[in-house]
């Protein structure tokens, strides 16, 4: 069954909840709340990847995430770290993280494969064409799904050539990263083609800008939780390994519906 990865942003500037969980005690409490609500994993990040966000020094990123990861792991929570920095990934795994969720797929820090070999952590390889800019200048495709699949495949090949265990890899097609709304829907519609690469697939649509186009103008980011839950259900039906979401309860209900529907069909 599709897993739920709850988002825990330990940042001042993330697009939907920046600053809410910046203090360690608040972050730890929210991480535990996500688990109580039904999250299977908690994804802890200390640097926003929204367009125009300031880059964070690795030492500061680690100051934000490591104490939170250590405490959550000590309480039995399965934790992933959302980082594109190899030093932060190493520190996070040493603190108890079991997954490194790298939006750059190893392109931002060439030392990342070394950390994976040293730690044995699972690794989320996201489709990435570079840091986001307001103009989405990299969001140009002739065949969106085919190109995303090809570029992900190239990243996997590079990682395997550097000794990374294929059993540790998870793919993320990178919704919202160098993709406009049309591209995002094409990727979701073509999810099966991504899955033919033979690796588990993580879908991260939660509260992203392309969902806002479905809502009244000016609607807050939290109003995107309903369409996020629908995407979670459809992704589960399509065989996604996990969905990464801010609002766990709505997604938990959506996945329970999928499970009940499938059980009724299988009887």
């Amino acid at each position: 069954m599709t897993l739920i990865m709850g988002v825990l942003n330990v940042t001042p500037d993330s697009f939907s909840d920046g600053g809410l969980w910046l203090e360690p005690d608040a972050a730890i409490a929210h991480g535990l709340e996500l688990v109580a609500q039904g999250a299977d994993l908690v994804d802890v990040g200390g640097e926003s990847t929204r367009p125009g966000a300031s880059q964070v020094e690795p030492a500061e990123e680690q100051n934000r995430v490591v104490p939170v990861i250590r405490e959550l792991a000590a309480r039995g929570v399965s934790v992933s770290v959302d980082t594109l920095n190899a030093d932060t990934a190493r520190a996070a795994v040493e603190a108890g993280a079991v997954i490194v969720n790298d939006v750059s797929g190893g392109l931002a820090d060439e030392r990342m494969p070394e950390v994976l070999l040293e730690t044995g952590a699972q690794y989320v390889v996201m489709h990435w064409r570079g840091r986001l800019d307001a103009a989405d200048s990299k969001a140009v495709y002739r065949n969106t799904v085919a190109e995303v699949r090809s570029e992900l495949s190239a990243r996997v090949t590079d990682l395997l050539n550097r000794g990374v265990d294929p059993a540790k890899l998870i793919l993320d097609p990178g919704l919202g990263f160098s993709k406009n709304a049309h591209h995002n829907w094409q990727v979701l519609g073509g999810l099966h083609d991504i899955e033919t690469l033979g690796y588990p697939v993580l879908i991260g649509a939660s509260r992203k800008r392309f969902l806002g186009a479905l809502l009244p103008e000016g609607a807050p980011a939290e109003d995107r939780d309903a369409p996020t839950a629908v995407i979670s259900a459809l992704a589960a039906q399509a065989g996604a390994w996990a969905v990464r979401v801010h609002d766990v309860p709505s997604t938990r209900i959506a996945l329970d519906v999928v499970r009940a529907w499938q059980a009724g069909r299988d009887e």
Side-chain angles (χ1 to χ4, degrees), residues 184-200:
N184 291 329
W185 291 118
Q186 287 179 319
V187 167
L188 287 169
L191 184 57
H192 173 71
D193 290 344
I194 306 297
E195 292 175 332
T196 61
L197 289 170
Y199 296 91

Side-chain angles (χ1 to χ4, degrees), residues 66-86:
V66 168
V68 176
I69 291 170
R70 181 178 293 114
E71 183 61 24
L72 289 176
R75 299 196 188 192
V77 177
S78 295
V79 181
S80 61
V81 60
D82 180 359
T83 185
L84 40 70
N85 179 269

Side-chain angles (χ1 to χ4, degrees), residues 1-7 38 40 175 185 188 191 195 201-208 210-211 214 224-259 262:
M1 187 62 187
T2 300
L3 303 177
I4 297 176
M5 177 182 284
V7 177
D40 302 288
L175 297 174
W185 291 118
L188 287 169
L191 184 57
E195 292 175 332
V201 174
L202 171 67
I203 295 297
S206 185
R207 296 184 179 177
K208 288 189 174 175
F210 77 105
L211 300 180
L214 304 174
R224 302 173 189 176
D225 290 335
T228 297
V230 176
I231 288 176
S232 296
L234 294 172
Q237 285 187 318
W241 167 78
V243 289
R244 181 180 182 274
V245 300
H246 296 81
D247 183 63
V248 170
S250 61
T251 289
R252 178 75 276 156
I253 293 169
L255 296 190
D256 286 345
V257 169
V258 172
R259 183 184 296 109
Q262 290 175 338

Side-chain angles (χ1 to χ4, degrees), residues 9 43-47 61 80-84 101-103 244:
N9 290 317
D43 191 43
V44 181
E47 179 180 13
E61 183 185 26
S80 61
V81 60
D82 180 359
T83 185
L84 40 70
N101 182 13
D102 181 358
V103 300
R244 181 180 182 274

Side-chain angles (χ1 to χ4, degrees), residues 60-224:
E60 173 59 23
E61 183 185 26
Q62 290 161 41
N63 285 338
R64 293 176 181 178
V65 303
V66 168
V68 176
I69 291 170
R70 181 178 293 114
E71 183 61 24
L72 289 176
R75 299 196 188 192
V77 177
S78 295
V79 181
S80 61
V81 60
D82 180 359
T83 185
L84 40 70
N85 179 269
D87 290 336
T88 299
R90 181 184 289 106
V93 176
E94 290 174 351
V98 294
I99 299 175
V100 176
N101 182 13
D102 181 358
V103 300
S104 80
L107 290 171
D109 192 332
E110 64 179 13
R111 299 170 302 148
M112 191 66 83
E114 299 172 16
V115 173
L116 302 177
L117 292 173
E118 291 171 10
T119 63
Q122 287 184 278
Y123 186 56
V124 177
V125 185
M126 200 190 80
H127 176 260
W128 195 69
R129 288 183 167 181
R131 291 184 182 272
L132 296 178
D133 58 62
D136 287 331
S137 60
K138 307 176 193 71
V140 179
Y141 300 87
R142 289 179 179 270
N143 185 320
T144 306
V145 177
E147 290 176 53
V148 169
R149 185 187 187 281
S150 176
E151 290 168 29
L152 273 174
S153 180
R155 293 304 311 133
V156 168
T157 297
D158 180 67
L159 291 165
L160 297 182
N161 287 340
R162 296 183 65 175
V164 176
D165 181 354
K168 300 290 187 180
L169 298 180
I170 300 159
L171 305 185
D172 180 342
L175 297 174
F177 286 81
S178 300
K179 299 171 188 69
N180 61 30
H182 184 58
H183 299 144
N184 291 329
W185 291 118
Q186 287 179 319
V187 167
L188 287 169
L191 184 57
H192 173 71
D193 290 344
I194 306 297
E195 292 175 332
T196 61
L197 289 170
Y199 296 91
V201 174
L202 171 67
I203 295 297
S206 185
R207 296 184 179 177
K208 288 189 174 175
R209 182 174 55 183
F210 77 105
L211 300 180
L214 304 174
L215 303 171
E217 186 174 356
E222 291 82 358
D223 285 4
R224 302 173 189 176

Side-chain angles (χ1 to χ4, degrees), residues 9-18 45-56 61 64 82 84 103 131-132 177:
N9 290 317
V10 192
T11 59
D13 56 350
S14 291
F15 73 94
S16 72
D17 59 359
E47 179 180 13
S48 174
T49 53
R50 66 173 176 78
S54 300
Q55 294 186 39
V56 178
E61 183 185 26
R64 293 176 181 178
D82 180 359
L84 40 70
V103 300
R131 291 184 182 272
L132 296 178
F177 286 81

